[in-house]
Amino acid sequence: MSPLPPLKIGPVEIGFPVVQAALSGYSDWPMRVLARRYGASYALNEVMLDRFAVEVKGRGKTQHHLRLTNEEHPVGGQLMGADPDAFPPAARRLVECGFDVIDINFGCPVKSAMGGCRGGYHLSQPDVALEIVRRVRDAVPDRIPVSVKMRRGIDDTAESRDRFFRILDGAFAIGVAAVTVHGRTVEQRYVGPSNWEFLREVKEQAGERTVLGSGDLFDAESCLRMIRETGVDGVTVARGAIANPWIFSQARALAAGEPLPPPPTVHEQRETMREHLGLCIETYGPQKGFGAFRKFAIKYTRLHPEYEQVRNDCATVRTLAEWDGYLQRWYSEDAPGQYPLVDETAEASAGSR
């Protein structure tokens, strides 16, 4: 296999073209740092509403939303909102906080976003979407690239397709450095396969301009296959990276022509969970940190050879003391792990926004 060209987003050098997507409720500082340590060359913060990004303080209960550290760079900040006037101050705030790329979310399919005329709703109104892009591009310094996240349309109608390409072409004309496209429609949410053929069409239309693909990337092989089959410049791993940071190092190995690394052993899983929990406690404090970690803990069980029993036991753990006992019961003896089996129905609530 020929080597994968390194990814760039405008002037920002990303490198290996398999990166971590923005994940609402998940891609906080601990998850992003862990992804970077395990091979992701770039990660996006969980999406923030435009007004919240302006109002959030650098201290107290909400300070973690804007937490960045040196080992994260380059790192992207994602914004979502309804009013074009609210985007410029939010974008400037993210730049002041140290984000290297500003990403605009035109892809979120959840009811709260659609009902609030945010996220994927903008795919139905190209004029408003492009005004948002223009406002953000004008608001931030030239050295800060702006990118856009889209789905392939509201639905599968010809009108929806036309609106998609109007936004795509218009955004590039305004000066966005990259566009990420999820192969499902907003109407689909997370049901049915992601349309990779559409990604090929988008890349053919974009030409030399940077396009990233998204959708159905749950293992390292799929990440590389999307790049090679569609021609996109890179891929963003969303649900496939939750409690599975190894996906990035596995993709790097395959891209280098090496065999697929075995799944992490039980002891390797244990040490990574301890690392992840430590990052959560550093961010939120002991009690809230463990609370933030629990939604990841249940997903780490997918890699355990006795998955069902371990998952059921994990669901009962409520305190750090109980967590220590749980690790002793299930992770004290080493054994080969397994690649995580992903239930699309169960995962749908943890979608990339």
Side-chain angles (χ1 to χ4, degrees):
M1 296 186 297
S2 58
L4 296 178
L7 177 66
K8 288 184 64 176
I9 300 180
V12 177
E13 302 279 353
I14 302 298
F16 187 65
V18 178
V19 306
Q20 183 196 279
L23 280 151
S24 185
Y26 282 90
S27 57
D28 55 1
W29 180 78
M31 182 177 179
R32 298 194 312 270
V33 166
L34 203 64
R36 294 302 306 273
R37 291 177 181 177
Y38 283 66
S41 54
Y42 172 69
L44 286 147
N45 189 24
E46 55 185 319
V47 64
M48 283 188 277
L49 295 180
D50 45 16
R51 296 186 187 279
F52 177 76
V54 174
E55 296 168 0
V56 65
K57 305 299 181 184
R59 58 187 183 280
K61 296 181 180 179
T62 59
Q63 63 179 332
H64 63 273
H65 289 286
L66 296 176
R67 183 177 189 190
L68 297 179
T69 51
N70 289 336
E71 69 177 301
E72 283 195 79
H73 294 289
V75 59
Q78 190 178 89
L79 289 173
M80 182 169 68
D83 183 1
D85 290 337
F87 275 83
R92 286 191 289 266
R93 179 73 191 284
L94 294 188
V95 173
E96 291 169 0
C97 290
F99 287 97
D100 302 294
V101 179
I102 304 302
D103 191 60
I104 304 170
N105 185 310
F106 292 156
C108 182
V110 302
K111 289 182 180 179
S112 59
M114 297 297 290
C117 302
R118 302 186 296 263
Y121 183 86
H122 290 299
L123 297 178
S124 70
Q125 47 180 12
D127 289 339
V128 176
L130 292 175
E131 181 63 18
I132 289 171
V133 173
R134 186 175 295 106
R135 296 283 190 92
V136 172
R137 181 62 277 173
D138 289 344
V140 301
D142 291 343
R143 63 181 174 81
I144 301 293
V146 175
S147 58
V148 174
K149 168 67 183 293
M150 303 169 66
R151 283 181 170 239
R152 75 170 195 261
I154 293 290
D155 52 35
D156 277 320
T157 62
E159 293 81 5
S160 183
R161 177 186 171 88
D162 289 344
R163 293 188 190 105
F164 172 91
F165 281 103
R166 184 179 166 195
I167 296 171
L168 178 82
D169 294 338
F172 278 128
I174 289 167
V176 302
V179 171
T180 299
V181 181
H182 185 110
R184 293 187 180 89
T185 64
V186 171
E187 190 177 75
Q188 273 185 278
R189 297 191 67 182
Y190 304 99
V191 179
S194 176
N195 187 336
W196 289 15
E197 181 57 35
F198 184 79
L199 301 182
R200 179 192 291 275
E201 292 183 54
V202 172
K203 180 54 186 173
E204 288 176 353
Q205 174 134 339
E208 295 300 315
R209 296 171 296 189
T210 301
V211 174
L212 292 90
S214 176
D216 290 348
L217 300 176
F218 293 109
D219 54 55
E221 297 102 318
S222 297
C223 295
L224 301 193
R225 186 162 55 84
M226 177 182 278
I227 293 174
R228 300 195 187 282
E229 290 184 4
T230 69
V232 294
D233 302 284
V235 297
T236 63
V237 186
R239 291 174 287 159
I242 297 174
N244 185 25
W246 298 276
I247 193 171
F248 299 107
S249 57
Q250 291 165 356
R252 283 180 180 268
L254 288 179
E258 301 169 5
L260 177 68
T265 67
V266 168
H267 279 181
E268 288 171 335
Q269 295 170 41
R270 180 188 63 189
E271 295 313 303
T272 298
M273 287 190 290
R274 284 174 171 168
E275 183 181 7
H276 195 159
L277 175 57
L279 293 169
C280 287
I281 290 174
E282 181 180 342
T283 303
Y284 304 102
Q287 183 174 350
K288 292 183 178 179
F290 183 69
F293 174 71
R294 285 187 72 246
K295 62 190 174 189
F296 292 96
I298 195 74
K299 295 184 182 297
Y300 275 113
T301 64
R302 297 176 303 185
L303 292 98
H304 197 284
E306 298 180 66
Y307 161 57
E308 291 189 3
Q309 292 175 280
V310 178
R311 177 197 59 193
N312 293 339
D313 195 12
C314 184
T316 68
V317 176
R318 293 289 185 273
T319 67
L320 282 170
E322 291 175 351
W323 176 252
D324 289 339
Y326 164 82
L327 289 183
Q328 181 61 32
R329 284 192 298 277
W330 296 109
Y331 291 87
S332 58
E333 294 186 12
D334 204 6
Q338 64 178 13
Y339 297 109
L341 300 175
V342 177
D343 179 347
E344 280 286 278
T345 303
E347 293 295 307
S349 63
S352 168
R353 305 296 190 242

